[in-house]
Amino acid sequence: MATFDFHQLDRFYGSSTSIRRPREFTYFSFDDKHELRTLCTDSLSYYHPPVFNAPGTHAPPIDLSAGFDSFVQRDDGIDEHLDALLDTLQAHEEQLLQDVQGGSVKIEDVRTKADIVTWRGMMTKILTAAFDMFNEFEMNATCFQGTISFIEENNAAKAARRTAQNNQKTPRGGAPQEMMQYWGYKFETLSVLPKPWAECTRQEVEARDAQTVNNNAQYCSIVRTGIGAISLIIAGEVDAVLGEKPDSPDDPIPWIELKTAAEQTGHPREAVKFERKLLNYWAQSFLLAVPTIMVGFRTPDGFLTRIQELSTQKIPSQVKQGNRTWDGNVCINLTGAFLEILKRTVIGDGVWRIRRKQGEKRIEVFKVEEVGTGSILKPSFKAHREKLRALEISAALGK
């Protein structure tokens, strides 16, 4: 068992751990029924803000609660493991194998190499651990073919937390948790188009308020990145793109993250609360190189009041000039130090648990299964990687 203690954050101040800019190298979509489409951009959305409070217009305020009764909600209780990510990596590598036969790619460059493969959500929890005392998590990790750690959320712990949250009483005068979550999805629906604006009809642009909200569809980006000495492959949903994706894979993508937050009244306590919310905004966007966050502020009963544009890169300095509730540099340095311990711990056969309890300033890593990879890796992915390894060995032997 390894324990990563961060009671004293002093050692994480100072010089920054190096960061490799996340670069998308493949992607996948979930359709309106949440069926996987590997190497597919069909669910990619294009940012176009809703029009409200415009001079000379008399449109009623936008009610983010509208359409709640017809909400088509994804079943979040299903344990999807890393399946979509692994299926897409396999499809990507099989595509490269065809290029090997054509002579444009070497066999040793087909397998996607990294120290850690995981979802963006898992890395967000680690990146924010230093300053988010409500942040608790349990993850499963396994090592396959010697060098790569695959990390997923422990679904049993996730389900227990969800049950506890649902059993909490709604504060007097507050909206139920389900409604507040819906407001976020409604804001996304109002803010995106299925095609670039120039290709959309006026009806498509103006009828978004009447559109049924469905959170099954997702576009997910898979990026290569690195923190310190640890290389990473991270997959996560991106809400929209501003304009269009550039043709060159080396050019930054103008992704847009969409968020909702309660309107500020000027009370100091609200400013502190919003800074803590900014920690998660920044971490999520930082990990996938999302440069811009659009925040839709709302009234307590869910009416949209304004939209504010935030630069992901500028958020840490904004917090430093405010209440200094967190430090982005510390988050990165702590993450780099923890990942190095994780790499040294998760080795060989078996399954490990990565656990941080609420309020505790330590992360535990301990073994829960002595052999195998648990349910983390799909048998089809393991068979694919074994075949790929055999081809690599054969090529190295000159056969």
Side-chain angles (χ1 to χ4, degrees):
M1 175 171 166
T3 301
F4 180 75
D5 190 296
F6 52 94
H7 281 83
Q8 300 296 327
L9 294 179
D10 294 353
R11 62 192 174 106
F12 301 116
Y13 284 90
S15 59
S16 298
T17 299
S18 62
I19 301 292
R20 271 165 280 175
R21 179 169 69 85
R23 294 174 184 267
E24 180 183 83
F25 68 96
T26 191
Y27 41 79
F28 62 89
S29 290
F30 285 115
D31 64 15
D32 285 343
K33 296 182 179 179
H34 204 63
E35 293 180 354
L36 176 65
R37 302 285 185 264
T38 62
L39 313 182
C40 174
T41 62
D42 285 357
S43 293
L44 178 63
S45 295
Y46 298 82
Y47 179 68
H48 188 74
V51 178
F52 67 107
N53 293 342
T57 64
H58 301 284
I62 293 178
D63 182 5
L64 295 177
S65 302
F68 177 70
D69 292 341
S70 60
F71 179 29
V72 179
Q73 188 171 13
R74 181 177 76 253
D75 183 356
D76 197 35
I78 298 174
D79 191 352
E80 297 181 338
H81 298 288
L82 295 172
D83 291 0
L85 170 53
L86 299 182
D87 283 346
T88 304
L89 286 181
Q90 181 174 339
H92 172 72
E93 291 169 355
E94 288 174 341
Q95 193 175 70
L96 289 177
L97 273 175
Q98 297 177 9
D99 296 331
V100 171
Q101 297 171 357
S104 59
V105 172
K106 295 180 180 179
I107 185 64
E108 58 265 30
D109 295 329
V110 172
R111 183 163 50 92
T112 311
K113 303 175 182 68
D115 295 314
I116 292 173
V117 177
T118 191
W119 294 114
R120 188 252 311 263
M122 303 303 96
M123 285 304 305
T124 298
K125 293 176 186 295
I126 294 170
L127 190 59
T128 60
F131 298 99
D132 187 352
M133 289 300 102
F134 296 100
N135 176 359
E136 61 177 333
F137 53 77
E138 284 194 19
M139 306 175 195
N140 302 321
T142 194
C143 188
F144 184 62
Q145 292 184 330
T147 58
I148 300 181
S149 293
F150 295 84
I151 303 173
E152 65 168 15
E153 186 161 22
N154 180 15
N155 195 63
K158 174 185 174 182
R161 286 195 302 273
R162 187 189 300 112
T163 299
Q165 290 171 354
N166 292 339
N167 290 336
Q168 290 179 352
K169 292 183 178 179
T170 302
R172 182 177 297 177
Q177 186 70 22
E178 295 84 354
M179 180 63 76
M180 295 179 71
Q181 291 173 347
Y182 175 78
W183 290 342
Y185 293 122
K186 179 69 173 181
F187 178 62
E188 290 180 23
T189 302
L190 292 169
S191 302
V192 301
L193 296 167
K195 298 175 290 189
W197 175 82
E199 300 176 18
C200 290
T201 65
R202 181 172 180 175
Q203 171 68 12
E204 287 175 315
V205 175
E206 295 182 350
R208 289 176 291 174
D209 187 48
Q211 184 177 335
T212 299
V213 177
N214 182 339
N215 72 341
N216 278 297
Q218 296 175 321
Y219 174 88
C220 292
S221 178
I222 303 181
V223 304
R224 287 188 178 94
T225 184
I227 298 178
I230 306 300
S231 57
L232 298 150
I233 291 173
I234 303 174
E237 180 186 7
V238 287
D239 292 329
V241 64
L242 180 63
E244 295 188 57
K245 290 177 65 177
D247 294 329
S248 172
D250 295 327
D251 292 339
I253 304 175
W255 295 125
I256 298 289
E257 181 77 13
L258 297 167
K259 297 290 186 182
T260 54
E263 184 57 272
Q264 306 288 291
T265 64
H267 195 285
R269 191 184 311 165
E270 289 183 346
V272 170
K273 186 177 180 180
F274 185 64
E275 276 193 10
R276 290 175 177 155
K277 192 180 286 281
L278 285 176
L279 173 60
N280 277 288
Y281 289 2
W282 167 78
Q284 291 175 348
S285 297
F286 171 80
L287 288 167
L288 289 186
V290 177
T292 308
I293 304 164
M294 295 294 184
V295 183
F297 287 91
R298 54 161 182 78
T299 62
D301 53 352
F303 284 88
L304 194 63
T305 56
R306 61 188 173 99
I307 299 174
Q308 181 179 347
E309 178 178 329
L310 299 176
S311 166
T312 301
Q313 187 177 4
K314 295 179 180 178
I315 287 177
S317 59
Q318 176 182 333
V319 171
K320 280 187 177 180
Q321 295 168 7
N323 293 284
R324 307 176 71 90
T325 54
W326 55 273
D327 187 297
N329 197 47
V330 170
C331 293
I332 295 169
N333 290 341
L334 182 148
T335 299
F338 171 71
L339 293 181
E340 289 192 25
I341 290 176
L342 190 66
K343 182 180 179 181
R344 295 195 299 267
T345 304
V346 181
I347 53 176
D349 208 16
V351 175
W352 283 258
R353 182 69 40 78
I354 305 167
R355 182 174 66 191
R356 189 267 178 98
K357 296 180 181 179
Q358 183 173 315
E360 288 192 356
K361 294 188 176 183
R362 63 176 183 172
I363 303 174
E364 301 169 317
V365 184
F366 53 96
K367 206 167 192 178
V368 291
E369 296 180 28
E370 291 297 327
V371 296
T373 59
S375 301
I376 301 172
L377 300 184
K378 298 181 67 174
S380 57
F381 178 78
K382 292 168 70 173
H384 158 74
R385 279 296 180 88
E386 294 291 0
K387 176 184 175 182
L388 200 54
R389 175 60 64 86
L391 291 172
E392 292 171 354
I393 293 173
S394 178
L397 295 174
K399 295 181 180 180

